[in-house]
Amino acid sequence: MSEVTPRLNALLAPSPGRRFSLALPSIWLWRLASVAVAFLIWEVLGRSPISLALPPASEVAVAFGEMLAKGEMWAAYANSLPPLLTGLAIIIVGGVVIGVSVALARTAEWFLLPVLIIFQTAPVSAIIPLVTYAYGIGDASKIVAIMILGLPLVALNSYKGIQATPPSLIAMSESFLASRFDTIRYVILPSASGMIFAGLRLGVSGAFIGIVLAELLITPTGIGDLITYNRAIARYDKMFAAIVSIIALSAVVLALLQAVETRLFRANARALP
Amino acid sequence: MTLAREAPAAPPAPMPDEKPILVADEVGLVYGGNVTALAGVNLTVPQGRLTSLLGPSGCGKTTLLKIIAGLIEPTTGDVTVRGEPVRGPGPDRALVFQDFALLPWATVLDNVGYGLRVRGVPRQERDQVARHYIEEVGLAGFEARYPHELSGGMRQRAGLARALAVRSDILLMDEPFSAVDEQMRRKLQEDLLELLRVEQKTVIFVTHSIEEAVYLSDQVIILTQRPGRVSTIVRPDIDRSGNVDEIRRTPRYMELVDEIWAGLRQYVE
Ligand SMILES: Nc1ncnc2c1ncn2[C@@H]1O[C@H](COP(=O)(O)OP(=O)(O)OP(=O)(O)O)[C@@H](O)[C@H]1O
Ligand SMILES: [Mg+2]
């Protein structure tokens, strides 16, 4: 216990200048520790006779390796990844473009905003089966499911971020003769970037929910099918391996997003009080 | 009656030697169709002098400054700079914001260089000019800091340096020293006077402090309560060559403060 406190203090203490190079490795250590603890608890729960449907973490890890070796995992992802990546690209680019332009061009506001809000508040998993009627069973349905779950979040957050730009900063920019374009580039977008990226994180999570829901409810293929099938034949270790794989992939995408944000708006992160 | 003054206010001495650089003619502003903030403001700002706007809270001082800056279009009347009507922000005017309006994600250097950046001045030249004015306002050494790392007074200086960096002739300042303590306020006042001796600018300065107005300005314009219009104009012909504390103790200085207070207190009571 006693070693932990100074470490924590080193993490929390604002040591100007070098604090980032110092804190970064320890942050990763803490994250690893957190994952390790979660797996440990899982292992213990899995070994206790609570439920057959919860195998211990070690068994799931073995199943994971097996599925990689036998190619089941690759086959599933070959199916799921193309629509997932396409959907992600659409919601990231499309969502930001829609949200930003709706906020900047006030004429579009009345038209698009109600649609976005309806989609954000609707019980989406109820809508998803209906997508089949329109788009059949295939990649198109999966992409639509991703868009329904992710696009409104990205667009609405981008919209709110732009709207939340302090008016005095915009007045400042205009008073120094900035063009509208420069004001957007140098003031509005950096100011909104925090909200935009918060929306992107939610949207990415939504996209992963979307693809899994679509593969569970509409099109029994890919990773969703891997989950359903293994549950049906009571191979819970494999089922959990499939679930863990999709969670891990989602974590990787979120980490990439974080890296992009830090790269683009590094100063923002530092300027937070 | 408290309003009765012992000595009648001396009528503002004409300043025949100075050309007006800025004239407001019957400037009126109605917000949202029902709040009349300004009702026919007439004023003349002599070139190279410091004019302050004094008036009860909510009388429209900020509004008037924003109209002069070209950020708000007046409902009636117009503002002219060297005879040209104001149609929007222009290179001849720079505004120092009451709330600083610094970009939180940009360093002091980048904040000060903002006006130059959006005018297309290349990085190297922009940084050089910005460094010059950062030093001039006494912020040297803080170029790489972010606004949240600065005290209120330092942020105010950064805002001032940003306005100076675009080298416009007219500096518009909205209660620039209200966010700092008395000590810092005096320091900034000194610095401003010193700066004006070097830079030869015309300054329009909003303040709540009568003493500050008398001490700093060549012309004090007192506005009535809302809807604001010009109530009185006082020209504090103070010799500022001596020691600050002596100046603040001269009979003329105290007389002027009393005179303006007498004019203002009717709006407070
Ligand atoms: N955007 C706005 N919309 C509607 N009314 C406004 C707006 N801005 C200011 N007003 C009103 O106009 C009047 C003048 O406001 P202004 O900010 O110019 O006053 P001020 O003299 O600067 O006050 P203070 O000394 O407190 O800063 C106030 O009554 C205010 O409520
Ligand atoms: Mg004001």
Side-chain angles (χ1 to χ4, degrees):
Chain A
M1 261 310 177
S2 52
E3 309 90 279
V4 176
T5 337
R7 284 217 74 127
L8 249 181
N9 285 341
L11 250 180
L12 298 174
S15 54
R18 286 182 48 196
R19 83 189 134 180
F20 274 84
S21 51
L22 273 179
L24 213 59
S26 1
I27 282 176
W28 280 104
L29 267 177
W30 282 105
R31 283 180 182 164
L32 277 179
S34 141
V35 172
V37 168
F39 271 89
L40 199 72
I41 295 175
W42 180 1
E43 183 71 24
V44 170
L45 286 180
R47 286 183 185 281
S48 67
I50 296 177
S51 162
L52 270 181
L54 181 70
S58 52
E59 273 176 38
V60 171
V62 171
F64 195 102
E66 204 177 297
M67 288 162 89
L68 278 183
K70 282 192 184 162
E72 290 165 74
M73 204 67 104
W74 304 119
Y77 275 105
N79 229 311
S80 295
L81 272 185
L84 176 62
L85 295 182
T86 314
L88 276 177
I90 293 176
I91 65 164
I92 289 175
V93 176
V96 172
V97 167
I98 291 173
V100 168
S101 38
V102 167
L104 290 178
R106 289 180 187 108
T107 39
E109 193 171 327
W110 299 108
F111 175 69
L112 269 169
L113 207 56
V115 181
L116 292 178
I117 291 176
I118 287 171
F119 265 111
Q120 200 197 22
T121 49
V124 187
S125 30
I127 299 177
I128 292 216
L130 301 180
V131 171
T132 330
Y133 295 119
Y135 298 95
I137 53 168
D139 282 359
S141 280
K142 295 186 190 176
I143 293 172
V144 170
I146 290 173
M147 284 168 58
I148 291 177
L149 273 137
L151 202 66
L153 289 170
V154 178
L156 267 177
N157 275 276
S158 305
Y159 170 84
K160 285 184 199 152
I162 300 278
Q163 290 277 299
T165 312
S168 84
L169 290 187
I170 296 176
M172 181 282 290
S173 185
E174 284 170 0
S175 85
F176 282 102
L177 305 176
S179 62
R180 180 74 178 149
F181 179 61
D182 278 351
T183 300
I184 292 172
R185 194 152 65 130
Y186 297 142
V187 176
I188 298 178
L189 284 181
S191 164
S193 70
M195 280 283 272
I196 292 178
F197 274 90
L200 285 176
R201 277 188 283 277
L202 291 171
V204 166
S205 309
F208 275 87
I209 297 172
I211 186 96
V212 172
L213 272 183
E215 290 178 348
L216 292 175
L217 300 174
I218 308 172
T219 315
T221 49
I223 196 71
D225 182 48
L226 205 58
I227 297 172
T228 328
Y229 175 74
N230 282 304
R231 190 185 56 197
I233 62 168
R235 282 299 304 267
Y236 296 114
D237 52 346
K238 284 189 165 188
M239 178 187 90
F240 274 105
I243 292 175
V244 168
S245 77
I246 192 89
I247 293 175
L249 182 62
S250 145
V252 167
V253 174
L254 287 175
L256 277 177
L257 202 62
Q258 181 75 58
V260 170
E261 179 177 7
T262 329
R263 227 191 134 72
L264 276 179
F265 299 101
R266 190 186 316 241
N268 281 24
R270 243 189 303 175
L272 289 175
Chain B
M1 205 178 120
T2 45
L3 269 183
R5 285 174 242 160
E6 277 142 44
M15 294 186 181
D17 51 321
E18 287 145 351
K19 295 174 293 182
I21 187 170
L22 186 144
V23 176
D25 180 30
E26 287 297 319
V27 168
L29 191 107
V30 182
Y31 276 116
N34 49 19
V35 181
T36 308
L38 297 170
V41 169
N42 294 296
L43 55 88
T44 300
V45 176
Q47 181 155 11
R49 296 304 176 105
L50 200 151
T51 297
S52 54
L53 298 174
L54 202 59
S57 187
C59 74
K61 302 181 293 295
T62 297
T63 306
L64 182 56
L65 212 60
K66 283 187 175 164
I67 290 173
I68 294 172
L71 290 173
I72 303 178
E73 204 183 320
T75 318
T76 60
D78 61 1
V79 175
T80 50
V81 176
R82 293 196 187 90
E84 290 288 314
V86 165
R87 299 244 175 277
D92 45 9
R93 285 151 290 140
L95 187 55
V96 180
F97 289 78
Q98 181 174 5
D99 62 351
F100 320 128
L102 297 171
L103 303 174
W105 54 83
T107 59
V108 168
L109 187 68
D110 286 342
N111 266 297
V112 173
Y114 187 78
L116 300 170
R117 180 184 198 176
V118 297
R119 275 164 221 204
V121 178
R123 170 117 226 166
Q124 212 179 352
E125 188 188 337
R126 186 209 308 163
D127 285 355
Q128 197 186 330
V129 176
R131 278 178 208 286
H132 170 76
Y133 286 101
I134 287 171
E135 198 176 323
E136 198 147 299
V137 300
L139 272 185
F142 291 91
E143 290 85 353
R145 297 301 185 94
Y146 290 87
H148 77 271
E149 299 175 302
L150 306 180
S151 71
M154 291 159 85
R155 288 178 210 180
Q156 194 63 70
R157 286 153 185 261
L160 177 59
R162 177 178 58 195
L164 290 171
V166 294
R167 295 180 167 145
S168 49
D169 299 333
I170 305 174
L171 210 54
L172 309 169
M173 305 173 87
D174 194 357
E175 297 185 37
F177 307 144
S178 56
V180 297
D181 61 46
E182 186 59 29
Q183 226 174 323
M184 178 55 77
R185 172 187 275 258
R186 292 207 176 187
K187 170 97 181 70
L188 291 175
Q189 289 171 352
E190 292 310 309
D191 291 357
L192 180 66
L193 283 179
E194 184 54 42
L195 208 67
L196 293 184
R197 273 193 278 275
V198 181
E199 294 279 337
Q200 297 297 321
K201 300 220 182 270
T202 305
V203 178
I204 305 176
F205 186 99
V206 171
T207 177
H208 271 139
S209 159
I210 299 174
E211 313 229 338
E212 184 169 87
V214 171
Y215 179 58
L216 290 177
S217 22
D218 302 295
Q219 170 176 256
V220 183
I221 294 177
I222 299 156
L223 299 175
T224 65
Q225 73 209 114
R226 209 192 69 184
R229 49 165 62 93
V230 175
S231 152
T232 328
I233 296 179
V234 178
R235 299 241 161 95
D237 38 2
I238 286 182
D239 176 20
R240 292 195 186 81
S241 52
N243 176 290
V244 193
D245 297 308
E246 276 168 23
I247 293 171
R248 289 185 205 265
R249 264 182 256 117
T250 56
R252 179 69 187 133
Y253 175 86
M254 291 193 273
E255 195 183 299
L256 279 163
V257 171
D258 282 349
E259 185 184 320
I260 294 172
W261 172 232
L264 268 178
R265 72 188 297 165
Q266 57 181 306
Y267 305 120
V268 190
E269 279 161 4

